[in-house]
Amino acid sequence: MPRNVDAALRRQEIVEAVKRIVIADGLGRVSLREVAAEAGLVVGSVRHYFGSSAELAAHAFDAVTDSVLGRLEAAGAAAHGTAEDGCVAQLCQLLPLDEARAVDLCVWTEFKLAARTRPELEPPAERSHRAVAAALGRALVRLRPALAQEDLVREAERLLATVEGLGLHAMLHGRWLDADLCTEVVRAQVASVGLAGAGAAGAAAGIH
């Protein structure tokens, strides 16, 4: 009799195989055959869950996004101290400060870049950005509850763009851009939230 297979566990094993391939050789090598070989499965076992390489890639993108979001939300819930500490802790989940985060960030970045030319990755890319931006927006509401909506959106996008750039920089130049320096940069950025708007408002008031 065929043994029972936990479908969720099997899908996760397949996603982990995708991640290993992307880390080693990039997204271009991800195919049903290559992933099956990496996971120690026959191609038919992978095809049972994913009908095409495009479907598999989109699922893996969503799975990595879920991993990142789960880590981000957990950091916010576990943070002690000020709202600023909590925001810093959450943003640091988007940086390669340990092996698990480094793997997810590398794979996540590959998927996001590939979405520019691969239509099947556009929906998970859009979901990824919206979900992370929304989580960051909630953190900023706790940090600066008096911020107007338009200022909140601007600051969330500014922080997200800064941290994404910092994450890429850390992946490429990790020998000197270490965890402490990354955290210092994030903390400085978080501390500046709302200050640009306040300064502009003050300058405008001084004109009259």
Side-chain angles (χ1 to χ4, degrees):
M1 293 179 62
R3 64 187 181 90
N4 293 327
V5 176
D6 185 319
L9 179 60
R10 178 53 52 84
R11 286 191 178 92
Q12 184 57 39
E13 290 172 349
I14 293 170
V15 167
E16 291 301 321
V18 171
K19 290 164 65 173
R20 291 194 297 272
I21 290 173
V22 172
I23 290 292
D25 297 307
L27 190 56
R29 203 190 119 210
V30 173
S31 67
L32 297 183
R33 186 174 301 280
E34 291 285 353
V35 171
E38 178 67 31
L41 301 169
V42 297
V43 177
S45 295
V46 177
R47 198 180 296 278
H48 176 75
Y49 297 100
F50 306 103
S52 65
S53 297
E55 182 183 342
L56 172 56
H59 175 83
F61 192 170
D62 275 333
V64 174
T65 295
D66 289 340
S67 176
V68 171
L69 285 171
R71 199 177 288 123
L72 194 152
E73 296 288 5
H80 300 292
T82 65
E84 184 173 311
D85 292 332
C87 191
V88 170
Q90 287 188 286
L91 286 168
C92 283
Q93 303 312 307
L94 304 177
L95 296 173
L97 304 187
D98 56 33
E99 184 177 358
R101 281 179 282 185
V103 167
D104 277 352
L105 180 62
C106 181
V107 176
W108 199 38
T109 300
E110 287 265 0
F111 277 125
K112 288 189 288 185
L113 290 172
R116 187 179 67 85
T117 57
R118 292 180 56 170
E120 75 274 13
L121 297 180
E122 290 178 8
E126 179 73 10
R127 170 185 174 258
S128 173
H129 179 76
R130 287 182 177 275
V132 172
L136 181 53
R138 291 190 292 272
L140 292 186
V141 168
R142 294 189 292 271
L143 178 68
R144 301 283 191 267
L147 272 184
Q149 179 66 24
E150 60 270 23
D151 295 329
L152 182 68
V153 171
R154 183 195 67 240
E155 293 288 28
E157 290 293 346
R158 177 176 71 85
L159 281 181
L160 186 53
T162 299
V163 171
E164 286 187 343
L166 182 63
L168 181 60
H169 201 43
M171 281 195 296
L172 297 175
H173 306 289
R175 285 185 294 179
W176 66 269
L177 188 58
D178 60 14
D180 288 340
L181 183 53
C182 283
T183 303
E184 287 176 17
V185 172
V186 170
R187 188 169 292 281
Q189 290 296 316
V190 170
S192 72
V193 168
L195 298 184
I207 291 175
H208 302 290

